[in-house]
Amino acid sequence: MTGRVAVVGGGLAGFIAYLTLRRGGLGPDEITVFASEPDPAAAWRRRAAAIRQTHMRSESDGHCLPTSFPGLAVRDARQRRSLVPLVRSICDRYHPTVEDFLAHVEELRACSGWTTRVFPARVAHVRAVAGGFELDDQGVFQHVLLATGHPGNAMPEDLGSDSRAVHAYEPHDYAPTVCVVGAGLAAATEWLNALAAGSTVISVRRREPVRRPLNVPRPYLSRRGLSAFHRLPPMRRVGLLRSLLVPSYPPGREWDEPLARAGADGRFRIEPSVNGADQVICATGFLRGYRHDALLRPLVDEHALATTEEWVVLAPDSTVPALTDSTRTLALSGVAAQLAYPAADTLMGARYVAHAFLRRCRTR
């Protein structure tokens, strides 16, 4: 198999890239998607189900369309024949339901020809060759986007062998007493889930969470904020990233009031370490860094790519400078692209990378 463009990874980032390429004028026969399963929302769906997530943290523009507008608020307003979603969106108070988001993904999958372009294979090796990149024995492609997703769930080392411990993103119920390790959105969601199930909840955290609507401050989603970020040398960018990616969850009464009531009743408290609770839920997110990614690790080692701590050094357009030139493109999407876009593991970040990748596919 040979081709012009390949997207390695069939999750939401790969799906957004495919839709963006199609809207940008690339024909379906020019694009091959390598994915282990045909549903682009499969991995996200499983994690959302595990923590009983009901609403998106993102706002109206947290969708898979190639352009920010129209967003999910417009879709919701049309379906409900109501202006309320639009008004809430203008006030930054619109958060689509998980059900609506998944229906949106399914609609796009059905009408985009996605299923016909997905090749059921897991690419294990990328090698730079003249004029492109060889993907295992699948052939050579001129432009390649690696959208490999999160490399796995992060479990604290001291809890790896604890029979009480389960990761938040794995299926679970709630015991009478529950220790929740972590302080981000997944942890906050699990506090409320366990309280609603009748459990007593102990929050174990290393630091106090930041309260903000999105997981990255808004200035770093703007052109001006990104320009300042890109001007920093890689080590300074890493330092800034670490400060931006601290645990956070949104402000609001829907979080504060249940926790305050449970605290007054003696059913919610904060402790510095895991105690003798019946169950330990690790809301500790994902493994971080290219070393944990089975595709990126050998790519970095074999091509001696520049790295800074756990990140591959990227150009502002998310391309790998050492392997990208006037004849070929290698770009990263998703969490691996955070040195190019701090919120790269969001739907907005996937769009940012997809449009940059499209520009190279159209001009090279």
Side-chain angles (χ1 to χ4, degrees), residues 51-54 173-178 180 187-202 254-255 257-259 261-263 265 267-268 279 281:
I51 62 171
R52 282 74 164 173
Q53 183 176 347
T54 59
D173 290 316
Y174 301 97
T177 58
V178 177
V180 178
T189 303
E190 289 288 63
W191 301 335
L192 300 191
N193 289 342
L195 289 172
S199 305
T200 295
V201 178
I202 302 95
E254 63 268 32
W255 304 94
E257 291 182 355
L259 296 179
R261 288 195 300 268
D265 294 340
R267 294 181 53 227
F268 180 80
Q279 181 184 36
I281 298 176

PDB file of all heavy atoms in Angstrom, residues 51-54 173-178 180 187-202 254-255 257-259 261-263 265 267-268 279 281:
ATOM      1  N   ILE A  51     -16.349   6.959  34.640  1.00  0.00           N
ATOM      2  CA  ILE A  51     -16.507   7.976  35.693  1.00  0.00           C
ATOM      3  C   ILE A  51     -17.924   8.567  35.703  1.00  0.00           C
ATOM      4  O   ILE A  51     -18.169   9.572  36.361  1.00  0.00           O
ATOM      5  CB  ILE A  51     -15.462   9.097  35.561  1.00  0.00           C
ATOM      6  CG1 ILE A  51     -15.617   9.854  34.240  1.00  0.00           C
ATOM      7  CG2 ILE A  51     -14.054   8.551  35.711  1.00  0.00           C
ATOM      8  CD1 ILE A  51     -14.746  11.111  34.149  1.00  0.00           C
ATOM      9  N   ARG A  52     -18.825   7.935  34.975  1.00  0.00           N
ATOM     10  CA  ARG A  52     -20.244   8.383  34.934  1.00  0.00           C
ATOM     11  C   ARG A  52     -20.356   9.842  34.506  1.00  0.00           C
ATOM     12  O   ARG A  52     -21.185  10.607  35.006  1.00  0.00           O
ATOM     13  CB  ARG A  52     -20.928   8.225  36.281  1.00  0.00           C
ATOM     14  CG  ARG A  52     -21.367   6.836  36.673  1.00  0.00           C
ATOM     15  CD  ARG A  52     -20.223   5.941  37.080  1.00  0.00           C
ATOM     16  NE  ARG A  52     -20.703   4.766  37.805  1.00  0.00           N
ATOM     17  CZ  ARG A  52     -19.924   3.749  38.155  1.00  0.00           C
ATOM     18  NH1 ARG A  52     -18.632   3.765  37.839  1.00  0.00           N
ATOM     19  NH2 ARG A  52     -20.426   2.726  38.826  1.00  0.00           N
ATOM     20  N   GLN A  53     -19.531  10.269  33.570  1.00  0.00           N
ATOM     21  CA  GLN A  53     -19.551  11.656  33.114  1.00  0.00           C
ATOM     22  C   GLN A  53     -20.845  11.931  32.364  1.00  0.00           C
ATOM     23  O   GLN A  53     -21.251  11.157  31.495  1.00  0.00           O
ATOM     24  CB  GLN A  53     -18.355  11.926  32.211  1.00  0.00           C
ATOM     25  CG  GLN A  53     -18.238  13.365  31.741  1.00  0.00           C
ATOM     26  CD  GLN A  53     -16.980  13.596  30.916  1.00  0.00           C
ATOM     27  OE1 GLN A  53     -16.070  12.764  30.889  1.00  0.00           O
ATOM     28  NE2 GLN A  53     -16.918  14.740  30.239  1.00  0.00           N
ATOM     29  N   THR A  54     -21.491  13.042  32.658  1.00  0.00           N
ATOM     30  CA  THR A  54     -22.761  13.382  32.010  1.00  0.00           C
ATOM     31  C   THR A  54     -22.652  14.589  31.090  1.00  0.00           C
ATOM     32  O   THR A  54     -23.418  14.702  30.129  1.00  0.00           O
ATOM     33  CB  THR A  54     -23.848  13.674  33.063  1.00  0.00           C
ATOM     34  OG1 THR A  54     -23.424  14.772  33.894  1.00  0.00           O
ATOM     35  CG2 THR A  54     -24.099  12.448  33.934  1.00  0.00           C
ATOM     36  N   ASP A 173     -17.661   0.034  40.713  1.00  0.00           N
ATOM     37  CA  ASP A 173     -18.720   0.553  41.562  1.00  0.00           C
ATOM     38  C   ASP A 173     -18.076   1.241  42.758  1.00  0.00           C
ATOM     39  O   ASP A 173     -16.870   1.512  42.745  1.00  0.00           O
ATOM     40  CB  ASP A 173     -19.655  -0.581  41.991  1.00  0.00           C
ATOM     41  CG  ASP A 173     -20.487  -1.106  40.825  1.00  0.00           C
ATOM     42  OD1 ASP A 173     -21.008  -0.277  40.051  1.00  0.00           O
ATOM     43  OD2 ASP A 173     -20.593  -2.333  40.680  1.00  0.00           O
ATOM     44  N   TYR A 174     -18.862   1.506  43.826  1.00  0.00           N
ATOM     45  CA  TYR A 174     -18.349   2.266  44.954  1.00  0.00           C
ATOM     46  C   TYR A 174     -18.604   1.513  46.253  1.00  0.00           C
ATOM     47  O   TYR A 174     -19.725   1.073  46.523  1.00  0.00           O
ATOM     48  CB  TYR A 174     -18.992   3.654  44.997  1.00  0.00           C
ATOM     49  CG  TYR A 174     -18.737   4.433  43.723  1.00  0.00           C
ATOM     50  CD1 TYR A 174     -19.686   4.459  42.706  1.00  0.00           C
ATOM     51  CD2 TYR A 174     -17.539   5.094  43.522  1.00  0.00           C
ATOM     52  CE1 TYR A 174     -19.440   5.138  41.520  1.00  0.00           C
ATOM     53  CE2 TYR A 174     -17.288   5.777  42.343  1.00  0.00           C
ATOM     54  CZ  TYR A 174     -18.235   5.798  41.346  1.00  0.00           C
ATOM     55  OH  TYR A 174     -17.985   6.461  40.176  1.00  0.00           O
ATOM     56  N   ALA A 175     -17.538   1.384  47.049  1.00  0.00           N
ATOM     57  CA  ALA A 175     -17.616   0.702  48.338  1.00  0.00           C
ATOM     58  C   ALA A 175     -18.139   1.674  49.403  1.00  0.00           C
ATOM     59  O   ALA A 175     -18.260   2.872  49.163  1.00  0.00           O
ATOM     60  CB  ALA A 175     -16.230   0.180  48.714  1.00  0.00           C
ATOM     61  N   PRO A 176     -18.428   1.170  50.607  1.00  0.00           N
ATOM     62  CA  PRO A 176     -18.928   2.078  51.658  1.00  0.00           C
ATOM     63  C   PRO A 176     -17.977   3.217  52.003  1.00  0.00           C
ATOM     64  O   PRO A 176     -18.410   4.341  52.264  1.00  0.00           O
ATOM     65  CB  PRO A 176     -19.120   1.137  52.850  1.00  0.00           C
ATOM     66  CG  PRO A 176     -19.408  -0.193  52.230  1.00  0.00           C
ATOM     67  CD  PRO A 176     -18.546  -0.244  51.008  1.00  0.00           C
ATOM     68  N   THR A 177     -16.662   2.959  52.021  1.00  0.00           N
ATOM     69  CA  THR A 177     -15.694   4.045  52.199  1.00  0.00           C
ATOM     70  C   THR A 177     -14.730   4.033  51.022  1.00  0.00           C
ATOM     71  O   THR A 177     -14.203   2.979  50.642  1.00  0.00           O
ATOM     72  CB  THR A 177     -14.910   3.901  53.518  1.00  0.00           C
ATOM     73  OG1 THR A 177     -14.230   2.631  53.544  1.00  0.00           O
ATOM     74  CG2 THR A 177     -15.832   4.005  54.714  1.00  0.00           C
ATOM     75  N   VAL A 178     -14.524   5.207  50.449  1.00  0.00           N
ATOM     76  CA  VAL A 178     -13.746   5.319  49.214  1.00  0.00           C
ATOM     77  C   VAL A 178     -12.676   6.397  49.370  1.00  0.00           C
ATOM     78  O   VAL A 178     -12.978   7.531  49.747  1.00  0.00           O
ATOM     79  CB  VAL A 178     -14.656   5.686  48.022  1.00  0.00           C
ATOM     80  CG1 VAL A 178     -13.836   5.875  46.760  1.00  0.00           C
ATOM     81  CG2 VAL A 178     -15.722   4.623  47.815  1.00  0.00           C
ATOM     82  N   VAL A 180     -10.261   8.619  47.142  1.00  0.00           N
ATOM     83  CA  VAL A 180     -10.043   9.056  45.764  1.00  0.00           C
ATOM     84  C   VAL A 180      -8.710   9.790  45.715  1.00  0.00           C
ATOM     85  O   VAL A 180      -8.542  10.834  46.350  1.00  0.00           O
ATOM     86  CB  VAL A 180     -11.177   9.964  45.259  1.00  0.00           C
ATOM     87  CG1 VAL A 180     -10.892  10.425  43.839  1.00  0.00           C
ATOM     88  CG2 VAL A 180     -12.516   9.235  45.320  1.00  0.00           C
ATOM     89  N   ALA A 187     -11.179  13.235  39.386  1.00  0.00           N
ATOM     90  CA  ALA A 187     -11.285  13.057  40.828  1.00  0.00           C
ATOM     91  C   ALA A 187     -12.533  13.750  41.372  1.00  0.00           C
ATOM     92  O   ALA A 187     -13.293  13.171  42.168  1.00  0.00           O
ATOM     93  CB  ALA A 187     -10.036  13.600  41.510  1.00  0.00           C
ATOM     94  N   ALA A 188     -12.756  14.998  40.951  1.00  0.00           N
ATOM     95  CA  ALA A 188     -13.929  15.733  41.426  1.00  0.00           C
ATOM     96  C   ALA A 188     -15.221  15.020  41.028  1.00  0.00           C
ATOM     97  O   ALA A 188     -16.185  14.963  41.801  1.00  0.00           O
ATOM     98  CB  ALA A 188     -13.904  17.154  40.873  1.00  0.00           C
ATOM     99  N   THR A 189     -15.251  14.472  39.813  1.00  0.00           N
ATOM    100  CA  THR A 189     -16.421  13.716  39.368  1.00  0.00           C
ATOM    101  C   THR A 189     -16.629  12.486  40.240  1.00  0.00           C
ATOM    102  O   THR A 189     -17.759  12.155  40.620  1.00  0.00           O
ATOM    103  CB  THR A 189     -16.257  13.305  37.895  1.00  0.00           C
ATOM    104  OG1 THR A 189     -16.043  14.470  37.100  1.00  0.00           O
ATOM    105  CG2 THR A 189     -17.492  12.580  37.387  1.00  0.00           C
ATOM    106  N   GLU A 190     -15.531  11.816  40.585  1.00  0.00           N
ATOM    107  CA  GLU A 190     -15.638  10.625  41.421  1.00  0.00           C
ATOM    108  C   GLU A 190     -16.057  10.951  42.850  1.00  0.00           C
ATOM    109  O   GLU A 190     -16.739  10.154  43.506  1.00  0.00           O
ATOM    110  CB  GLU A 190     -14.317   9.859  41.409  1.00  0.00           C
ATOM    111  CG  GLU A 190     -14.010   9.172  40.087  1.00  0.00           C
ATOM    112  CD  GLU A 190     -14.886   7.960  39.839  1.00  0.00           C
ATOM    113  OE1 GLU A 190     -16.130   8.119  39.736  1.00  0.00           O
ATOM    114  OE2 GLU A 190     -14.342   6.851  39.746  1.00  0.00           O
ATOM    115  N   TRP A 191     -15.657  12.122  43.376  1.00  0.00           N
ATOM    116  CA  TRP A 191     -16.148  12.515  44.697  1.00  0.00           C
ATOM    117  C   TRP A 191     -17.676  12.528  44.709  1.00  0.00           C
ATOM    118  O   TRP A 191     -18.310  11.960  45.593  1.00  0.00           O
ATOM    119  CB  TRP A 191     -15.646  13.911  45.083  1.00  0.00           C
ATOM    120  CG  TRP A 191     -14.168  14.079  45.129  1.00  0.00           C
ATOM    121  CD1 TRP A 191     -13.213  13.119  45.330  1.00  0.00           C
ATOM    122  CD2 TRP A 191     -13.450  15.309  44.957  1.00  0.00           C
ATOM    123  NE1 TRP A 191     -11.969  13.663  45.278  1.00  0.00           N
ATOM    124  CE2 TRP A 191     -12.073  15.007  45.062  1.00  0.00           C
ATOM    125  CE3 TRP A 191     -13.840  16.625  44.721  1.00  0.00           C
ATOM    126  CZ2 TRP A 191     -11.083  15.986  44.944  1.00  0.00           C
ATOM    127  CZ3 TRP A 191     -12.856  17.599  44.595  1.00  0.00           C
ATOM    128  CH2 TRP A 191     -11.497  17.285  44.707  1.00  0.00           C
ATOM    129  N   LEU A 192     -18.242  13.192  43.687  1.00  0.00           N
ATOM    130  CA  LEU A 192     -19.701  13.313  43.647  1.00  0.00           C
ATOM    131  C   LEU A 192     -20.365  11.971  43.361  1.00  0.00           C
ATOM    132  O   LEU A 192     -21.419  11.664  43.926  1.00  0.00           O
ATOM    133  CB  LEU A 192     -20.108  14.347  42.591  1.00  0.00           C
ATOM    134  CG  LEU A 192     -19.594  15.780  42.781  1.00  0.00           C
ATOM    135  CD1 LEU A 192     -20.300  16.718  41.808  1.00  0.00           C
ATOM    136  CD2 LEU A 192     -19.788  16.258  44.209  1.00  0.00           C
ATOM    137  N   ASN A 193     -19.757  11.163  42.488  1.00  0.00           N
ATOM    138  CA  ASN A 193     -20.324   9.850  42.187  1.00  0.00           C
ATOM    139  C   ASN A 193     -20.413   8.985  43.438  1.00  0.00           C
ATOM    140  O   ASN A 193     -21.436   8.347  43.714  1.00  0.00           O
ATOM    141  CB  ASN A 193     -19.467   9.116  41.148  1.00  0.00           C
ATOM    142  CG  ASN A 193     -19.574   9.713  39.763  1.00  0.00           C
ATOM    143  OD1 ASN A 193     -20.505  10.451  39.468  1.00  0.00           O
ATOM    144  ND2 ASN A 193     -18.610   9.409  38.910  1.00  0.00           N
ATOM    145  N   ALA A 194     -19.305   8.924  44.183  1.00  0.00           N
ATOM    146  CA  ALA A 194     -19.268   8.074  45.370  1.00  0.00           C
ATOM    147  C   ALA A 194     -20.216   8.595  46.446  1.00  0.00           C
ATOM    148  O   ALA A 194     -20.898   7.810  47.121  1.00  0.00           O
ATOM    149  CB  ALA A 194     -17.843   7.996  45.909  1.00  0.00           C
ATOM    150  N   LEU A 195     -20.284   9.916  46.603  1.00  0.00           N
ATOM    151  CA  LEU A 195     -21.234  10.477  47.572  1.00  0.00           C
ATOM    152  C   LEU A 195     -22.670  10.142  47.186  1.00  0.00           C
ATOM    153  O   LEU A 195     -23.490   9.780  48.036  1.00  0.00           O
ATOM    154  CB  LEU A 195     -21.042  11.992  47.663  1.00  0.00           C
ATOM    155  CG  LEU A 195     -19.755  12.481  48.343  1.00  0.00           C
ATOM    156  CD1 LEU A 195     -19.608  13.984  48.181  1.00  0.00           C
ATOM    157  CD2 LEU A 195     -19.746  12.086  49.821  1.00  0.00           C
ATOM    158  N   ALA A 196     -22.977  10.242  45.892  1.00  0.00           N
ATOM    159  CA  ALA A 196     -24.335   9.925  45.425  1.00  0.00           C
ATOM    160  C   ALA A 196     -24.653   8.455  45.645  1.00  0.00           C
ATOM    161  O   ALA A 196     -25.836   8.086  45.821  1.00  0.00           O
ATOM    162  CB  ALA A 196     -24.475  10.275  43.951  1.00  0.00           C
ATOM    163  N   ALA A 197     -23.626   7.594  45.641  1.00  0.00           N
ATOM    164  CA  ALA A 197     -23.839   6.164  45.875  1.00  0.00           C
ATOM    165  C   ALA A 197     -23.942   5.834  47.353  1.00  0.00           C
ATOM    166  O   ALA A 197     -24.137   4.664  47.711  1.00  0.00           O
ATOM    167  CB  ALA A 197     -22.702   5.366  45.245  1.00  0.00           C
ATOM    168  N   GLY A 198     -23.797   6.839  48.231  1.00  0.00           N
ATOM    169  CA  GLY A 198     -23.911   6.619  49.667  1.00  0.00           C
ATOM    170  C   GLY A 198     -22.594   6.386  50.372  1.00  0.00           C
ATOM    171  O   GLY A 198     -22.579   6.080  51.576  1.00  0.00           O
ATOM    172  N   SER A 199     -21.480   6.542  49.690  1.00  0.00           N
ATOM    173  CA  SER A 199     -20.170   6.277  50.282  1.00  0.00           C
ATOM    174  C   SER A 199     -19.694   7.454  51.126  1.00  0.00           C
ATOM    175  O   SER A 199     -20.126   8.595  50.954  1.00  0.00           O
ATOM    176  CB  SER A 199     -19.140   6.011  49.189  1.00  0.00           C
ATOM    177  OG  SER A 199     -19.549   4.975  48.331  1.00  0.00           O
ATOM    178  N   THR A 200     -18.790   7.154  52.030  1.00  0.00           N
ATOM    179  CA  THR A 200     -17.985   8.171  52.691  1.00  0.00           C
ATOM    180  C   THR A 200     -16.709   8.330  51.873  1.00  0.00           C
ATOM    181  O   THR A 200     -16.069   7.340  51.512  1.00  0.00           O
ATOM    182  CB  THR A 200     -17.638   7.761  54.127  1.00  0.00           C
ATOM    183  OG1 THR A 200     -18.842   7.701  54.888  1.00  0.00           O
ATOM    184  CG2 THR A 200     -16.684   8.759  54.770  1.00  0.00           C
ATOM    185  N   VAL A 201     -16.337   9.573  51.576  1.00  0.00           N
ATOM    186  CA  VAL A 201     -15.258   9.826  50.619  1.00  0.00           C
ATOM    187  C   VAL A 201     -14.104  10.548  51.297  1.00  0.00           C
ATOM    188  O   VAL A 201     -14.301  11.536  52.003  1.00  0.00           O
ATOM    189  CB  VAL A 201     -15.775  10.670  49.431  1.00  0.00           C
ATOM    190  CG1 VAL A 201     -14.645  10.987  48.461  1.00  0.00           C
ATOM    191  CG2 VAL A 201     -16.902   9.937  48.719  1.00  0.00           C
ATOM    192  N   ILE A 202     -12.904  10.035  51.058  1.00  0.00           N
ATOM    193  CA  ILE A 202     -11.677  10.680  51.507  1.00  0.00           C
ATOM    194  C   ILE A 202     -10.906  11.123  50.276  1.00  0.00           C
ATOM    195  O   ILE A 202     -10.571  10.300  49.409  1.00  0.00           O
ATOM    196  CB  ILE A 202     -10.810   9.733  52.358  1.00  0.00           C
ATOM    197  CG1 ILE A 202     -11.589   9.237  53.575  1.00  0.00           C
ATOM    198  CG2 ILE A 202      -9.529  10.433  52.790  1.00  0.00           C
ATOM    199  CD1 ILE A 202     -12.270   7.911  53.377  1.00  0.00           C
ATOM    200  N   GLU A 254     -22.569  23.398  41.510  1.00  0.00           N
ATOM    201  CA  GLU A 254     -22.842  21.983  41.305  1.00  0.00           C
ATOM    202  C   GLU A 254     -21.750  21.094  41.887  1.00  0.00           C
ATOM    203  O   GLU A 254     -21.971  19.910  42.154  1.00  0.00           O
ATOM    204  CB  GLU A 254     -23.034  21.678  39.816  1.00  0.00           C
ATOM    205  CG  GLU A 254     -21.826  21.924  38.946  1.00  0.00           C
ATOM    206  CD  GLU A 254     -21.799  23.323  38.359  1.00  0.00           C
ATOM    207  OE1 GLU A 254     -22.284  24.263  39.017  1.00  0.00           O
ATOM    208  OE2 GLU A 254     -21.262  23.468  37.232  1.00  0.00           O
ATOM    209  N   TRP A 255     -20.564  21.672  42.070  1.00  0.00           N
ATOM    210  CA  TRP A 255     -19.471  20.950  42.730  1.00  0.00           C
ATOM    211  C   TRP A 255     -19.416  21.293  44.214  1.00  0.00           C
ATOM    212  O   TRP A 255     -19.306  20.399  45.067  1.00  0.00           O
ATOM    213  CB  TRP A 255     -18.122  21.320  42.099  1.00  0.00           C
ATOM    214  CG  TRP A 255     -18.053  21.102  40.632  1.00  0.00           C
ATOM    215  CD1 TRP A 255     -18.293  22.021  39.650  1.00  0.00           C
ATOM    216  CD2 TRP A 255     -17.745  19.876  39.957  1.00  0.00           C
ATOM    217  NE1 TRP A 255     -18.147  21.454  38.416  1.00  0.00           N
ATOM    218  CE2 TRP A 255     -17.802  20.143  38.562  1.00  0.00           C
ATOM    219  CE3 TRP A 255     -17.403  18.593  40.380  1.00  0.00           C
ATOM    220  CZ2 TRP A 255     -17.544  19.164  37.611  1.00  0.00           C
ATOM    221  CZ3 TRP A 255     -17.143  17.617  39.440  1.00  0.00           C
ATOM    222  CH2 TRP A 255     -17.217  17.905  38.067  1.00  0.00           C
ATOM    223  N   GLU A 257     -21.570  22.751  46.489  1.00  0.00           N
ATOM    224  CA  GLU A 257     -22.639  22.509  47.451  1.00  0.00           C
ATOM    225  C   GLU A 257     -22.716  21.053  47.910  1.00  0.00           C
ATOM    226  O   GLU A 257     -22.829  20.792  49.118  1.00  0.00           O
ATOM    227  CB  GLU A 257     -23.973  22.987  46.868  1.00  0.00           C
ATOM    228  CG  GLU A 257     -24.042  24.508  46.737  1.00  0.00           C
ATOM    229  CD  GLU A 257     -25.375  24.999  46.215  1.00  0.00           C
ATOM    230  OE1 GLU A 257     -26.237  24.149  45.865  1.00  0.00           O
ATOM    231  OE2 GLU A 257     -25.556  26.226  46.143  1.00  0.00           O
ATOM    232  N   PRO A 258     -22.653  20.054  47.012  1.00  0.00           N
ATOM    233  CA  PRO A 258     -22.664  18.669  47.503  1.00  0.00           C
ATOM    234  C   PRO A 258     -21.476  18.348  48.407  1.00  0.00           C
ATOM    235  O   PRO A 258     -21.620  17.620  49.394  1.00  0.00           O
ATOM    236  CB  PRO A 258     -22.624  17.827  46.223  1.00  0.00           C
ATOM    237  CG  PRO A 258     -23.110  18.728  45.143  1.00  0.00           C
ATOM    238  CD  PRO A 258     -22.670  20.093  45.533  1.00  0.00           C
ATOM    239  N   LEU A 259     -20.299  18.900  48.073  1.00  0.00           N
ATOM    240  CA  LEU A 259     -19.125  18.637  48.896  1.00  0.00           C
ATOM    241  C   LEU A 259     -19.257  19.304  50.263  1.00  0.00           C
ATOM    242  O   LEU A 259     -18.857  18.731  51.289  1.00  0.00           O
ATOM    243  CB  LEU A 259     -17.863  19.126  48.192  1.00  0.00           C
ATOM    244  CG  LEU A 259     -17.506  18.414  46.883  1.00  0.00           C
ATOM    245  CD1 LEU A 259     -16.240  19.014  46.283  1.00  0.00           C
ATOM    246  CD2 LEU A 259     -17.321  16.913  47.104  1.00  0.00           C
ATOM    247  N   ARG A 261     -22.097  19.967  51.865  1.00  0.00           N
ATOM    248  CA  ARG A 261     -23.080  19.208  52.648  1.00  0.00           C
ATOM    249  C   ARG A 261     -22.461  17.921  53.185  1.00  0.00           C
ATOM    250  O   ARG A 261     -22.650  17.564  54.349  1.00  0.00           O
ATOM    251  CB  ARG A 261     -24.304  18.882  51.790  1.00  0.00           C
ATOM    252  CG  ARG A 261     -25.192  20.065  51.482  1.00  0.00           C
ATOM    253  CD  ARG A 261     -26.549  19.613  50.963  1.00  0.00           C
ATOM    254  NE  ARG A 261     -26.424  18.822  49.740  1.00  0.00           N
ATOM    255  CZ  ARG A 261     -26.477  19.335  48.509  1.00  0.00           C
ATOM    256  NH1 ARG A 261     -26.626  20.651  48.363  1.00  0.00           N
ATOM    257  NH2 ARG A 261     -26.375  18.568  47.452  1.00  0.00           N
ATOM    258  N   ALA A 262     -21.724  17.225  52.303  1.00  0.00           N
ATOM    259  CA  ALA A 262     -21.114  15.964  52.732  1.00  0.00           C
ATOM    260  C   ALA A 262     -20.054  16.212  53.816  1.00  0.00           C
ATOM    261  O   ALA A 262     -19.925  15.424  54.745  1.00  0.00           O
ATOM    262  CB  ALA A 262     -20.492  15.259  51.531  1.00  0.00           C
ATOM    263  N   GLY A 263     -19.306  17.334  53.694  1.00  0.00           N
ATOM    264  CA  GLY A 263     -18.326  17.652  54.716  1.00  0.00           C
ATOM    265  C   GLY A 263     -18.981  17.919  56.059  1.00  0.00           C
ATOM    266  O   GLY A 263     -18.492  17.475  57.105  1.00  0.00           O
ATOM    267  N   ASP A 265     -21.726  16.668  57.078  1.00  0.00           N
ATOM    268  CA  ASP A 265     -22.261  15.396  57.584  1.00  0.00           C
ATOM    269  C   ASP A 265     -21.174  14.388  57.941  1.00  0.00           C
ATOM    270  O   ASP A 265     -21.479  13.250  58.330  1.00  0.00           O
ATOM    271  CB  ASP A 265     -23.186  14.765  56.532  1.00  0.00           C
ATOM    272  CG  ASP A 265     -24.437  15.590  56.275  1.00  0.00           C
ATOM    273  OD1 ASP A 265     -24.774  16.417  57.149  1.00  0.00           O
ATOM    274  OD2 ASP A 265     -25.053  15.424  55.196  1.00  0.00           O
ATOM    275  N   ARG A 267     -19.094  13.024  55.771  1.00  0.00           N
ATOM    276  CA  ARG A 267     -18.958  12.028  54.705  1.00  0.00           C
ATOM    277  C   ARG A 267     -17.923  12.420  53.658  1.00  0.00           C
ATOM    278  O   ARG A 267     -17.672  11.665  52.721  1.00  0.00           O
ATOM    279  CB  ARG A 267     -20.312  11.795  54.016  1.00  0.00           C
ATOM    280  CG  ARG A 267     -21.355  11.165  54.913  1.00  0.00           C
ATOM    281  CD  ARG A 267     -22.660  10.948  54.177  1.00  0.00           C
ATOM    282  NE  ARG A 267     -22.424  10.207  52.937  1.00  0.00           N
ATOM    283  CZ  ARG A 267     -22.940  10.549  51.746  1.00  0.00           C
ATOM    284  NH1 ARG A 267     -23.707  11.637  51.641  1.00  0.00           N
ATOM    285  NH2 ARG A 267     -22.702   9.815  50.684  1.00  0.00           N
ATOM    286  N   PHE A 268     -17.293  13.577  53.808  1.00  0.00           N
ATOM    287  CA  PHE A 268     -16.249  14.002  52.875  1.00  0.00           C
ATOM    288  C   PHE A 268     -15.172  14.734  53.643  1.00  0.00           C
ATOM    289  O   PHE A 268     -15.450  15.653  54.421  1.00  0.00           O
ATOM    290  CB  PHE A 268     -16.814  14.919  51.791  1.00  0.00           C
ATOM    291  CG  PHE A 268     -15.763  15.387  50.797  1.00  0.00           C
ATOM    292  CD1 PHE A 268     -15.352  14.559  49.770  1.00  0.00           C
ATOM    293  CD2 PHE A 268     -15.178  16.644  50.918  1.00  0.00           C
ATOM    294  CE1 PHE A 268     -14.381  14.976  48.863  1.00  0.00           C
ATOM    295  CE2 PHE A 268     -14.210  17.066  50.012  1.00  0.00           C
ATOM    296  CZ  PHE A 268     -13.810  16.222  48.984  1.00  0.00           C
ATOM    297  N   GLN A 279     -12.051   0.963  49.492  1.00  0.00           N
ATOM    298  CA  GLN A 279     -11.728   1.051  48.071  1.00  0.00           C
ATOM    299  C   GLN A 279     -10.845   2.268  47.821  1.00  0.00           C
ATOM    300  O   GLN A 279     -10.999   3.303  48.483  1.00  0.00           O
ATOM    301  CB  GLN A 279     -13.023   1.164  47.257  1.00  0.00           C
ATOM    302  CG  GLN A 279     -12.856   1.241  45.753  1.00  0.00           C
ATOM    303  CD  GLN A 279     -14.193   1.457  45.052  1.00  0.00           C
ATOM    304  OE1 GLN A 279     -15.061   2.158  45.568  1.00  0.00           O
ATOM    305  NE2 GLN A 279     -14.358   0.857  43.889  1.00  0.00           N
ATOM    306  N   ILE A 281      -9.754   4.639  44.603  1.00  0.00           N
ATOM    307  CA  ILE A 281      -9.937   4.987  43.196  1.00  0.00           C
ATOM    308  C   ILE A 281      -8.832   5.956  42.803  1.00  0.00           C
ATOM    309  O   ILE A 281      -8.701   7.035  43.382  1.00  0.00           O
ATOM    310  CB  ILE A 281     -11.317   5.627  42.951  1.00  0.00           C
ATOM    311  CG1 ILE A 281     -12.428   4.633  43.291  1.00  0.00           C
ATOM    312  CG2 ILE A 281     -11.444   6.086  41.495  1.00  0.00           C
ATOM    313  CD1 ILE A 281     -13.828   5.206  43.168  1.00  0.00           C
TER     314      ILE A 281
END
